[in-house]
C-alpha cells in the first residue's frame, strides 16, 4: 500500500497572516472570483474582523483610493459587541474601479487607559502603570510626523504623569482629557501595524443601482379597434405621446417588451389560447417573422427612424429607454432556417419549443447554447452593439436563468468593457443560487421574489437579506407587478393592497418598478392563473389614463407622490441602510432608512421611518418601538415625525408610540424624522455616538 503523504503545512510567508489578524474583509463576493459592486453615490460599508491574542485593545482604519487617484482614510468603529467586526461607511461617488485596504494595529493608549482606569483608583501598581503611560506620551512628543500642537500637548501630559506630587487619579485625568482623546482619535498610539491586501470595488453609474421603472406596450398606446374587428396598432409615434405622463409620475426608466416582428406559427390568442384569430397580434416574446428577427422592428410600430424619434422624445422627457432582450425565437425566425444548429432537434425531427411546466410556450423555440457556442456569442454581441449604436443603454433580459452562466459572464463583461454605461436587468425567478449567480457574473440589477413576500414576517426576512446579506453583488429591482404576475394579494386586496405594495417597493430599495395598469387597480385575474384577465401579452390594451384619474379610479397621484418623496430624500435612494424596528402587531411592518449629513445631497442628515399595515383588509392599532441610533439620534428620547403623504406631525419616542393605520384610507406612514429642536447630534456616519468613541 502506498504511503499517504501528509499535506504540506503552510509557512508563515505562505499564509500571509499578519501580526494582527484581518479576516472576513467586506464587501466581498463569496468565492472572491468576482468584484463586489456599487453605484455612483452609493454609501458602502467597508471593514473586517480584527482581533489579537489576549486582552490588549486593537484598532483599525480603512484606506480608500478612488479611480482618479483621490485617497482617504477612515477610522473603523466596533460594530456588534463580541463579534470583533469593525466597519465604516464610505460614499463612492465616481464611476470606475475603487480600491481599499484595512490597517489594523495594537491600540497602545486604549490598552493603557483601560488598565489605568482600573488600577489607579484601586491603588494597584500605580508607579509602573503611570510610567508606562509616560513612555507612550514621550514617544508621541518626539514624533516629528505629528503636528506641533499635539507634540506640545503630549509633552505636558508626559510631565504630569511623571510628577509624583500630583495625585495619581488626577494624572490619569490629564492623560484622558478631551483634548488628548480628540488627538488620539485622529491618530492613536499604535504598534504591530498590519495591512490587508488591497481589495477592489466596481462602481457603476447611478442608474445601475437607483431608479424608478415603468413598463408599457407601445402597440397599445394609441391602438384603435376598427369596425371589422381588426386593430390599428399603436406606434412609436403614438406611444411617444404617453412619455410626458410617465415622466410626470416621477419615473426615469421606460421599459418596453420586445419590439421585433412576431411569428405567425402557433401564435397565441387572447388569454394564452392556442387558436389566434387573424387580428390577434401575438406575444411580443415570440420573436421573428418574415420582417426579420432580433435586429428588426415590428412594421406596425414603425421604422428605425420612428424608434430613434421615440428615444429622443424619451430623453426630452427625462426618461431612459430599457429594451427587452429575449434570446429565443418563434418558429418563423430567420435563425430557424439559417442556423438550425442553434436549436434542439427532437428524435421525431421536430424542434423543441419552450416549456416551464405546467406553462408551455408553443410559439417559442429556446436556443441550444451548446451546439455552436462561439456563433451564438458572436450573434448576441452583434445584436447588443446594434441597439447600443441606436442609443439603447439599458436591457431587460428575459429568462436569463435558462441560458448558461458562463455565456452571460462573457457577454456582459465584453459589452461593459466597451460600454461601461450599459445596464443589464435579469428577469429571473428561480432558485436563489442561480439568481445570485447571475448577479455575480455581471448583471447590474435583478428581479426578486418581492411580489410574493407579503406578510410582515416574510418582508422582514426578505428586506434584511437584500440590504445586509447579498448587498455586495445583488441589486434588487422591486417590481410590484408584471404582465405575468398578478398575485392573490393584489387580486383580493383592493386599492389598499396596491398602495401598500407601491409604498414598500418605493421606499425599501433604491430601484422599483411597475407595469402599466397598476395605477388603475387592474386586479381581475384569468381563472386559474396569477396574471391579468385579457393579458396584454396577447392583445391590444388601450387605456384611458386621464379619465381614470379624473374619476378617482387611479392611484397615479399616489405613485407620483412616492416618486417625489424618493427624489427629495436621499436616504431612500440607498440599499444598505435599511434597518428593522418593532411593533406589537404581526401586520405592522416598521423599518428606517438613514443617511448622514456627510453623504447626503441635501447637506443635512436624512432619516425616514416607514410604518406599514400589510393587511389590506383591516384597521390596525398598535405601538411601535425604535432603536433611534439606527437613524442618527443616539441617546435621544423624543423626536418629531412628519407624514410625507398626509402632512400630519407627531412627537414620538423610543417606545410605546401609538399608531392607527386604516387600510381603507392611508395604510402606510412614510415619516420624515427630525430632532425636536431641529439640531442633530454629532455622530459618526454609521450613526454611532462620537462621544462613545
Amino acid at each position: 500500500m502506498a504511503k499517504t503523504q501528509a499535506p504540506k503545512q503552510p509557512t508563515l510567508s505562505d499564509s500571509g497572516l499578519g501580526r494582527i489578524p484581518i479576516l472576513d474583509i467586506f464587501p466581498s463576493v463569496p468565492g472572491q472570483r468576482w468584484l463586489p459592486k456599487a453605484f455612483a453615490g452609493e454609501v458602502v460599508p467597508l471593514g473586517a474582523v480584527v482581533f489579537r491574542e489576549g486582552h490588549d485593545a486593537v484598532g483599525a482604519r480603512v484606506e480608500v483610493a478612488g479611480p482618479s487617484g483621490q485617497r482617504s482614510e477612515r477610522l473603523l468603529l466596533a460594530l456588534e459587541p463580541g463579534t470583533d467586526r469593525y466597519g465604516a461607511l464610505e460614499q463612492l461617488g465616481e464611476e470606475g474601479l475603487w480600491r481599499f485596504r484595512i490597517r489594523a494595529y495594537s491600540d497602545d493608549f486604549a490598552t493603557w487607559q483601560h488598565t489605568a482606569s482600573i488600577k489607579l483608583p484601586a491603588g494597584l501598581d500605580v508607579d509602573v502603570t503611570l510610567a508606562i503611560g509616560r513612555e507612550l506620551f514621550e514617544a508621541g512628543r518626539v514624533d516629528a510626523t505629528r503636528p506641533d500642537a499635539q507634540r506640545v500637548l503630549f509633552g505636558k501630559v508626559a510631565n504630569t504623569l511623571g510628577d509624583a506630587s500630583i495625585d495619581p487619579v488626577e494624572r490619569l485625568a490629564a492623560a484622558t482629557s478631551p483634548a488628548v482623546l480628540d488627538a488620539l482619535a485622529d491618530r492613536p498610539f499604535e504598534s504591530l501595524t498590519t495591512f490587508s491586501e488591497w481589495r477592489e470595488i466596481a462602481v457603476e453609474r447611478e442608474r445601475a443601482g437607483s431608479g424608478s421603472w415603468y413598463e408599457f406596450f407601445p402597440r397599445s398606446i394609441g391602438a384603435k379597434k376598427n369596425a371589422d374587428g381588426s386593430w390599428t396598432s399603436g406606434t412609436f409615434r403614438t406611444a411617444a405621446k404617453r412619455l410626458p405622463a410617465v415622466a410626470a409620475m416621477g419615473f426615469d426608466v421606460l421599459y418596453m417588451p420586445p419590439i421585433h416582428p412576431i411569428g405567425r406559427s402557433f401564435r397565441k390568442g387572447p388569454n394564452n389560447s392556442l387558436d389566434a384569430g387573424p387580428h390577434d397580434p401575438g406575444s411580443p416574446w415570440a420573436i421573428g417573422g418574415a420582417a426579420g428577427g432580433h435586429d428588426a422592428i415590428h412594421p406596425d410600430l414603425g421604422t428605425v427612424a420612428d424608434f430613434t424619434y421615440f428615444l429622443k422624445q424619451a430623453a426630452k422627457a427625462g426618461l431612459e429607454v430599457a429594451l427587452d432582450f429575449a434570446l429565443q425565437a418563434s418558429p418563423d425566425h430567420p435563425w430557424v432556417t439559417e442556423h438550425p444548429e442553434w436549436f434542439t432537434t427532437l428524435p421525431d425531427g421536430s424542434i423543441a419549443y419552450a416549456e416551464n411546466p405546467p406553462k408551455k410556450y408553443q410559439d417559442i423555440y429556446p436556443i441550444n447554447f451548446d451546439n455552436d457556442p462561439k456563433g451564438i456569442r458572436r450573434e448576441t454581441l452583434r445584436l447588443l452593439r446594434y441597439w447600443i449604436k441606436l442609443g439603447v443603454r439599458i436591457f431587460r433580459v428575459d429568462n436569463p436563468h435558462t441560458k448558461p452562466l458562463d455565456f452571460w459572464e462573457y457577454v456582459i463583461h465584453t459589452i461593459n468593457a466597451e460600454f461601461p454605461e450599459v445596464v443589464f436587468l435579469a428577469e429571473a425567478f428561480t432558485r436563489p443560487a442561480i439568481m445570485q449567480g447571475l448577479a455575480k457574473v455581471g448583471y447590474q440589477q435583478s428581479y426578486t421574489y418581492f411580489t410574493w413576500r407579503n406578510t410582515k414576517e416574510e418582508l422582514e426576512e426578505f428586506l434584511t437579506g437584500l440590504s445586509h446579506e447579498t448587498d455586495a453583488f445583488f441589486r434588487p429591482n422591486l417590481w410590484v407587478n408584471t404582465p405575468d404576475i398578478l398575485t392573490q394579494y393584489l387580486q383580493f386586496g383592493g386599492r389598499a393592497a396596491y398602495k401598500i405594495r407601491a409604498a414598500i417597493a418605493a421606499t425599501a430599495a433604491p430601484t422599483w418598478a411597475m407595469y402599466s395598469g397598476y395605477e388603475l387597480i387592474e386586479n381581475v385575474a384569468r381563472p386559474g392563473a396569477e396574471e391579468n384577465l385579457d393579458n396584454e401579452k396577447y392583445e391590444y390594451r388601450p387605456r384611458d389614463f386621464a379619465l381614470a384619474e379624473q374619476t378617482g379610479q387611479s392611484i397615479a397621484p399616489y405613485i407620483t407622490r412616492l416618486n417625489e418623496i424618493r427624489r427629495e430624500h436621499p436616504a431612500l435612494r440607498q440599499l444598505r441602510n435599511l434597518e428593522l424596528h418593532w411593533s406589537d402587531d404581526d401586520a405592522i411592518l416598521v423599518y428606517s432608512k438613514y443617511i448622514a449629513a456627510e453623504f447626503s445631497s441635501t447637506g443635512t442628515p436624512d432619516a425616514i421611518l416607514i410604518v406599514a399595515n400589510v393587511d389590506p383588509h383591516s384597521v390596525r392599532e398598535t405601538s411601535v418601538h425604535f432603536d433611534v441610533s439606527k437613524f442618527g439620534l443616539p441617546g435621544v428620547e423624543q423626536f418629531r415625525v412628519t407624514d410625507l403623504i398626509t402632512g400630519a406631525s407627531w412627537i414620538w419616542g423610543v417606545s410605546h408610540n401609538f399608531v392607527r393605520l386604516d387600510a381603507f384610507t392611508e395604510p402606510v406612514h412614510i415619516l420624515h424624522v427630525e430632532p425636536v429642536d431641529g439640531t442633530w447630534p454629532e455622530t459618526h456616519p454609521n450613526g454611532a455616538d462620537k462621544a462613545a468613541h
Side-chain angles (χ1 to χ4, degrees):
M1 179 180 292
K3 186 176 181 180
T4 302
Q5 186 174 5
K8 179 179 180 290
Q9 297 298 312
T11 64
L12 183 62
S13 58
D14 289 332
S15 71
L17 187 65
R19 178 63 181 83
I20 304 294
I22 303 173
L23 307 176
D24 300 335
I25 298 172
F26 58 88
S28 66
V29 179
Q32 298 187 30
R33 176 184 175 90
W34 302 282
L35 296 182
K37 56 192 175 188
F39 60 87
E42 187 170 10
V43 179
V44 178
L46 308 175
V49 169
V50 175
F51 58 86
R52 64 165 298 184
E53 77 290 348
H55 302 289
D56 286 2
V58 296
R61 303 180 82 86
V62 60
E63 301 174 14
V64 181
S68 299
Q70 66 271 41
R71 300 177 75 95
S72 63
E73 183 178 293
R74 286 187 183 275
L75 175 69
L76 298 183
L77 302 179
L79 301 178
E80 303 88 352
T83 65
D84 294 309
R85 282 171 54 85
Y86 290 77
L89 300 177
E90 182 75 23
Q91 188 167 40
L92 308 182
E94 180 185 359
E95 296 173 41
L97 199 62
W98 287 70
R99 302 168 68 239
F100 73 98
R101 70 174 178 177
I102 308 298
R103 187 176 94 237
Y105 48 86
S106 178
D107 190 330
D108 298 333
F109 172 77
T111 298
W112 174 82
Q113 180 187 18
H114 175 72
T115 300
S117 66
I118 296 172
K119 288 188 171 183
L120 296 187
L124 301 174
D125 303 327
V126 173
D127 292 339
V128 172
T129 300
L130 291 171
I132 293 172
R134 181 179 182 183
E135 289 178 358
L136 288 176
F137 283 95
E138 281 288 359
R141 182 183 66 80
V142 300
D143 184 351
T145 65
R146 289 184 176 272
D148 290 343
Q150 277 192 15
R151 295 172 63 190
V152 170
L153 173 64
F154 293 163
K156 292 179 179 178
V157 172
N159 292 337
T160 299
L161 288 173
D163 190 342
S165 67
I166 302 176
D167 182 82
V169 174
E170 292 182 22
R171 285 186 266 175
L172 173 61
T176 56
S177 68
V180 171
L181 295 180
D182 283 347
L184 293 177
D186 181 62
R187 183 179 167 190
F189 295 147
E190 65 179 73
S191 62
L192 307 180
T193 302
T194 305
F195 293 90
S196 75
E197 71 278 13
W198 285 95
R199 296 288 186 93
E200 295 178 330
I201 303 175
V203 178
E204 298 164 307
R205 68 181 178 114
E206 182 182 10
R207 192 63 65 234
S210 179
S212 301
W213 289 49
Y214 186 89
E215 174 183 1
F216 70 48
F217 286 63
R219 72 186 185 188
S220 289
I221 310 296
K224 296 181 180 179
K225 193 170 186 178
N226 304 313
D228 62 357
S230 65
W231 282 84
T232 299
S233 172
T235 68
F236 286 128
R237 297 277 174 171
T238 60
K241 297 177 182 179
R242 174 73 180 147
L243 295 173
V246 173
M249 282 191 289
F251 292 98
D252 38 46
V253 177
L254 185 281
Y255 156 62
M256 294 185 295
I259 60 174
H260 315 298
I262 298 171
R264 294 293 320 182
S265 298
F266 306 104
R267 176 175 287 191
K268 294 294 185 73
N271 292 308
N272 201 29
S273 67
L274 298 179
D275 28 320
H279 305 309
D280 292 325
S283 167
W285 283 272
I287 298 170
H294 284 71
D295 54 358
I297 290 173
H298 197 299
D300 288 354
L301 295 176
T303 64
V304 171
D306 295 321
F307 178 68
T308 302
Y309 168 83
F310 182 85
L311 293 180
K312 290 180 179 178
Q313 293 302 112
K316 184 178 178 180
L319 293 162
E320 277 198 71
V321 172
L323 195 64
D324 195 279
F325 191 69
L327 283 178
Q328 58 204 33
S330 85
D332 305 322
H333 196 294
W335 286 346
V336 176
T337 55
E338 296 172 4
H339 292 283
E341 72 277 10
W342 290 359
F343 304 93
T344 298
T345 302
L346 299 175
D348 63 0
S350 65
I351 295 177
Y353 59 74
E355 291 186 85
N356 181 18
K359 292 183 178 181
K360 294 183 178 181
Y361 306 94
Q362 295 91 340
D363 55 344
I364 293 173
Y365 288 161
I367 305 299
N368 185 320
F369 286 81
D370 295 318
N371 290 345
D372 180 20
K374 290 184 178 179
I376 295 171
R377 288 184 178 190
R378 282 195 300 270
E379 176 69 354
T380 300
L381 293 176
R382 183 188 72 82
L383 293 170
L384 289 169
R385 289 170 178 143
Y386 173 78
W387 294 107
I388 291 169
K389 185 177 180 180
L390 289 180
V392 178
R393 290 298 184 271
I394 304 178
F395 295 93
R396 178 269 197 190
V397 179
D398 191 67
N399 284 326
H401 57 291
T402 62
K403 287 79 178 172
L405 198 62
D406 68 327
F407 167 80
W408 290 123
E409 182 180 44
Y410 171 80
V411 167
I412 293 175
H413 281 255
T414 300
I415 290 296
N416 281 152
E418 300 174 30
F419 308 99
E421 72 278 14
V422 169
V423 172
F424 292 92
L425 165 63
E427 187 260 351
F429 298 101
T430 183
R431 301 187 301 281
I434 301 175
M435 295 172 69
Q436 293 176 19
L438 290 164
K440 290 174 184 176
V441 303
Y443 273 93
Q444 282 80 11
Q445 294 183 21
S446 305
Y447 280 67
T448 73
Y449 279 100
F450 171 71
T451 45
W452 294 280
R453 302 295 183 263
N454 297 296
T455 68
K456 174 184 176 180
E457 182 179 8
E458 289 170 345
L459 284 164
E460 286 183 337
E461 179 182 9
F462 174 76
L463 296 176
T464 297
L466 292 181
S467 56
H468 297 295
E469 296 172 11
T470 58
D471 52 291
F473 59 91
F474 188 91
R475 291 202 197 103
N477 189 326
L478 300 187
W479 286 77
V480 290
N481 71 325
T482 78
D484 288 319
I485 302 173
L486 179 68
T487 61
Q488 292 188 24
Y489 187 92
L490 293 178
Q491 291 175 36
F492 304 109
R495 189 183 187 96
Y498 280 70
K499 293 176 72 173
I500 292 165
R501 298 300 293 174
I504 294 174
T507 58
T511 301
W512 81 294
M514 59 180 277
Y515 155 58
S516 180
Y518 185 92
E519 65 269 49
L520 306 184
I521 322 295
E522 293 180 352
N523 62 354
V524 181
R526 178 165 61 88
E530 269 197 343
E531 62 180 39
N532 287 88
L533 183 67
D534 303 328
N535 195 309
E536 194 172 1
K537 285 176 61 176
Y538 310 108
E539 55 189 280
Y540 298 102
R541 190 72 178 271
R543 300 171 172 93
D544 193 335
F545 294 98
L547 178 62
E549 195 164 338
Q550 290 171 10
T551 57
Q553 302 303 306
S554 172
I555 60 168
Y558 188 78
I559 301 298
T560 302
R561 182 60 186 141
L562 291 178
N563 280 326
E564 287 175 350
I565 292 169
R566 283 169 53 86
R567 285 196 303 272
E568 294 165 359
H569 292 277
L572 296 177
R573 301 195 299 274
Q574 297 287 325
L575 172 64
R576 310 178 204 226
N577 61 344
L578 185 145
E579 299 288 347
L580 295 177
H581 300 271
W582 305 272
S583 78
D584 296 339
D585 190 297
D586 61 6
I588 302 296
L589 173 71
V590 188
Y591 58 92
S592 67
K593 305 290 288 286
Y594 169 74
I595 190 170
E598 177 183 4
F599 306 132
S600 171
S601 57
T602 65
T604 59
D606 186 38
I608 300 291
L609 279 174
I610 292 85
V611 184
N613 175 7
V614 298
D615 179 359
H617 306 286
S618 70
V619 177
R620 297 281 177 152
E621 295 181 348
T622 190
S623 291
V624 291
H625 319 272
F626 304 103
D627 177 353
V628 293
S629 69
K630 300 297 186 182
F631 46 86
L633 294 171
V636 172
E637 292 297 323
Q638 290 186 320
F639 50 93
R640 184 183 306 279
V641 295
T642 302
D643 192 313
L644 297 174
I645 299 294
T646 67
S649 183
W650 304 276
I651 301 296
W652 277 5
V654 295
S655 63
H656 305 301
N657 302 287
F658 174 78
V659 295
R660 183 181 190 274
L661 288 170
D662 185 343
F664 306 103
T665 54
E666 292 300 340
V668 180
H669 285 320
I670 302 177
L671 304 168
H672 183 217
V673 179
E674 296 176 293
V676 173
D677 64 359
T679 302
W680 286 86
E682 188 177 11
T683 63
H684 284 285
N686 64 1
D689 188 349
K690 276 192 173 181
H693 297 276

